[in-house]
Every structure is written in C-alpha cells, then in structure tokens.
C-alpha cells in the first residue's frame, strides 16, 4: 500500500516539475525573442490611366491599379497619401517612353515595379514603400475604346419618304 502511495506521489512530483519547467522555459524564450515582425500599412491606388502617344495621336492607354505596403513608422509621419506619389511614378514611367506600341504590350512588370518603388522611395528621407502588388495592369488600344463607345449607340435611320 505504501508503495502505491509513493508511486502516486512520484508521478505528481514529476508532472508538477515538468509543468514548472515548461512554463519557466516558455517565459524565458518570450523575454529573449524580440518582436521581429514589421509594422506595415497597406492600401491601393485608384484606377489610373496613362495615354500612349505616338506621332501626336493617342494609340492606347495603360490602365493600372496597384496595391502597396508601407513602413508604418514612416507612413505615420506623412499627411499626403502615398498613392499620389505612386501614380506620379507610374505616369512618368510610361508617358512618352513608348514610341512603338508593341513594346508596351511586352512590359515586364517586375522591372517596372522595382523602378516605381525606387522612384517613390527616392522622394523620402527613408524608404517608405516596401512592396507593390498588381490589382490591374492592362493596355487598351484606342481602337478598342472606340469600338466599345460605338457598340451601344443605335444608328439613326433617315426618315422614309411617303
């Protein structure tokens, strides 16, 4: 009988000891590990179009909408929305840079994304934009726009003479 009681006390001591050790080790690890997760803000730009002009005629439009992530500490110190700066960089990337419309249709967005991030971050004392994600990035020709605009119009018929 005494042996059963001693075994029971031993099991309780081992269980309490392991519980104490687990709690102690978890609290020590939490105190040592710094919070490495960055505080980020996010947002998205409005739908934005840039005309592609070749020989003084509009050949088409680049239509884009981007989502972005920002450094929270830097973003909190600015009152102007960052989407204005991103739209400005998109416009400067595409407006007047494509004399051959086929080049627009072969744009490599990774290169454009990097140059937009670098251009926006150059305007601030510390890097603000962390990443850009594509919501929408299309090239629409002027012919397609004209076709859509005339698709819904009904043609007026000449009055018939009696």
């Amino acid at each position: 009988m005494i042996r059963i009681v001693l075994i029971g006390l031993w099991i309780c001591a081992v269980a309490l000891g392991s519980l104490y050790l687990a709690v102690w080790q978890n609290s020590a690890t939490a105190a040592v590990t710094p919070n490495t997760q960055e505080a980020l803000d996010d947002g998205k730009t409005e739908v934005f179009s840039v005309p592609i002009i070749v020989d003084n005629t509009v050949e088409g439009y680049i239509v884009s909408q981007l989502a972005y992530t920002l450094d929270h500490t830097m973003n909190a110190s600015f009152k102007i929305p960052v989407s204005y700066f991103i739209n400005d960089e998109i416009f400067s990337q595409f407006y007047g840079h494509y004399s051959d419309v086929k080049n627009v249709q072969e744009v490599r967005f990774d290169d454009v994304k990097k140059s937009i991030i670098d251009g926006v971050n150059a305007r601030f004392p510390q890097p603000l934009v962390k990443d850009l994600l594509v919501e929408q990035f299309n090239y629409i020709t002027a012919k397609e726009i004209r076709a859509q605009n005339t698709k819904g119009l009904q043609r007026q018929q000449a009055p018939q003479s009696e």
Side-chain angles (χ1 to χ4, degrees):
M1 177 84 169
I2 292 178
R3 199 161 55 183
I4 295 176
V5 171
L6 289 176
I7 291 173
L9 288 174
W10 174 251
I11 291 173
C12 287
V14 168
L16 287 173
S18 63
L19 178 65
Y20 174 76
L21 182 65
V23 169
W24 176 77
Q25 186 176 11
N26 189 24
S27 64
T29 305
V32 172
T33 305
N35 188 5
T36 57
Q37 185 178 9
E38 278 186 83
L40 297 175
D41 290 340
D42 64 339
K44 67 169 86 169
T45 63
E46 297 294 323
V47 176
F48 186 79
S49 63
V50 179
I52 301 300
I53 299 173
V54 178
D55 296 329
N56 294 326
T57 60
V58 175
E59 292 293 323
Y61 295 89
I62 291 178
V63 179
S64 67
Q65 182 177 26
L66 304 175
Y68 51 84
T69 57
L70 308 171
D71 182 0
H72 175 71
T73 56
M74 286 292 297
N75 189 33
S77 64
F78 294 107
K79 303 242 187 257
I80 300 173
V82 176
S83 63
Y84 295 163
F85 294 101
I86 293 172
N87 286 346
D88 185 58
E89 277 300 315
I90 293 170
F91 197 84
S92 65
Q93 285 286 321
F94 290 104
Y95 187 76
H97 285 103
Y98 292 95
S99 59
D100 184 6
V101 178
K102 292 177 187 172
N103 290 340
V104 174
Q105 296 173 346
E106 297 173 3
V107 168
R108 296 176 68 199
F109 191 75
D110 289 336
D111 299 337
V112 173
K113 178 172 108 170
K114 182 179 178 343
S115 62
I116 291 171
I117 290 172
D118 292 344
V120 171
N121 285 339
R123 297 179 183 195
F124 298 100
Q126 294 177 349
L128 175 64
V129 178
K130 296 294 184 182
D131 198 11
L132 283 176
L133 305 168
V134 178
E135 288 278 329
Q136 178 181 352
F137 192 81
N138 295 319
Y139 175 73
I140 302 172
T141 65
K143 290 178 185 176
E144 290 173 341
I145 293 172
R146 285 186 207 110
Q148 282 187 343
N149 287 342
T150 59
K151 192 183 284 185
L153 297 177
Q154 294 179 349
R155 294 188 181 184
Q156 294 181 357
Q157 295 180 354
Q160 297 178 354
S161 59
E162 292 180 28

